[in-house]
Amino acid sequence: LKVPAMPGVSLKHYPEKRSRGESLTGTYEIKKGDTLWSIARFFRVTPEELALQNGLKLKAIILPGQIIKVPGKKERKE
């Protein structure tokens, strides 16, 4: 079975499943241009997990300055 992917997306970078005991303990401030998908990819979680943990729908609009919960293991610095 072949499933087409978006150009430039590599499946080897798809986030691994997290164990049920792990929680989202850190926070991240939304920057202009961020999407749930891009944030999830950076923190190696699924967009569905981010949306669920933050009480959002998967297609929710996120705004710059908004704070969401993310995995506490890795802090994003810009």
Side-chain angles (χ1 to χ4, degrees):
L1 174 68
K2 290 186 178 183
V3 179
M6 293 177 9
V9 175
S10 172
L11 294 178
K12 68 181 178 182
H13 293 295
Y14 192 77
E16 298 174 10
K17 293 264 183 186
R18 297 168 58 84
S19 68
R20 288 185 176 209
E22 287 185 88
S23 62
L24 301 180
T25 58
T27 59
Y28 174 73
E29 183 176 350
I30 306 294
K31 308 280 188 281
K32 185 176 180 178
D34 281 340
T35 64
L36 281 180
W37 187 86
S38 66
I39 298 165
R41 185 169 179 217
F42 182 84
F43 286 103
R44 301 182 61 83
V45 296
T46 64
E48 293 83 2
E49 183 177 8
L50 269 184
L52 179 66
Q53 292 294 323
N54 287 283
L56 301 170
K57 292 188 178 190
L58 198 53
K59 293 184 179 185
I61 295 172
I62 56 175
L63 302 171
Q66 189 175 349
I67 306 292
I68 62 168
K69 296 178 207 170
V70 295
K73 292 181 180 178
K74 184 176 187 180
E75 293 297 323
R76 182 173 180 179
K77 296 179 180 159
E78 290 189 38

